Amino acid sequence: EVQLVESGGGLVQPGGSLRLSCAASGFTFSNYDMSWVRQAPGKGLEWLSAINSGGGTTYYADSVKGRFTISRDNAKNTLYLQMDSLKPEDTATYHCAPGDRGSWFKLRDSGYWGQGTQVTVSS
């Protein structure tokens, strides 16, 4: 059974930092590019960042470039997102998914989707 379990969210003040984790199981994690996406209240899903299967190449949306850093540990089947300089507009539920900017949504209906972790940026 495929599982993607996101964790590390919480309440943080503007300018603060959080590190999100995504623990993957039930598929060969190291074979897949991976992405982080988020959904803010009342809005659609927004792709944020991707990392290739080997971890050597990363991509970012303009909205988070320079503030967020994606990484992965294939030995631990875990994806990370270091979020710095957080803004109130970063408030959202954050999800991880297999795939890159153009393909992260393709396996969602096949169970490659977790509950997400809530990030709230507020003073």
Side-chain angles (χ1 to χ4, degrees):
E1 178 189 6
V2 171
Q3 284 195 316
L4 293 164
V5 180
E6 300 92 345
S7 62
L11 174 64
V12 62
Q13 292 186 341
S17 298
L18 284 174
R19 188 193 194 204
L20 306 185
S21 298
C22 166
S25 60
F27 65 103
T28 307
F29 177 76
S30 60
N31 284 355
Y32 287 80
D33 298 345
M34 293 293 296
S35 284
W36 283 99
V37 300
R38 69 184 178 189
Q39 187 164 27
K43 296 189 176 180
L45 288 160
E46 176 190 12
W47 175 85
L48 299 176
S49 181
I51 187 168
N52 72 333
S53 59
T57 305
T58 57
Y59 307 88
Y60 297 94
D62 288 345
S63 59
V64 303
K65 193 176 296 182
R67 299 189 299 122
F68 290 10
T69 304
I70 191 171
S71 62
R72 67 191 294 163
D73 185 337
N74 285 345
K76 295 182 178 180
N77 290 343
T78 303
L79 179 73
Y80 303 100
L81 187 68
Q82 176 66 41
M83 305 190 297
D84 299 317
S85 303
L86 283 161
K87 305 174 181 179
E89 50 263 44
D90 294 318
T91 295
T93 300
Y94 286 69
H95 299 266
C96 61
D100 58 18
R101 182 198 298 254
S103 65
W104 64 265
F105 51 88
K106 291 184 176 181
L107 296 177
R108 184 181 175 190
D109 291 341
S110 300
Y112 289 73
W113 192 252
Q115 293 297 311
T117 186
Q118 176 68 38
V119 172
T120 302
V121 185
S122 175
S123 55

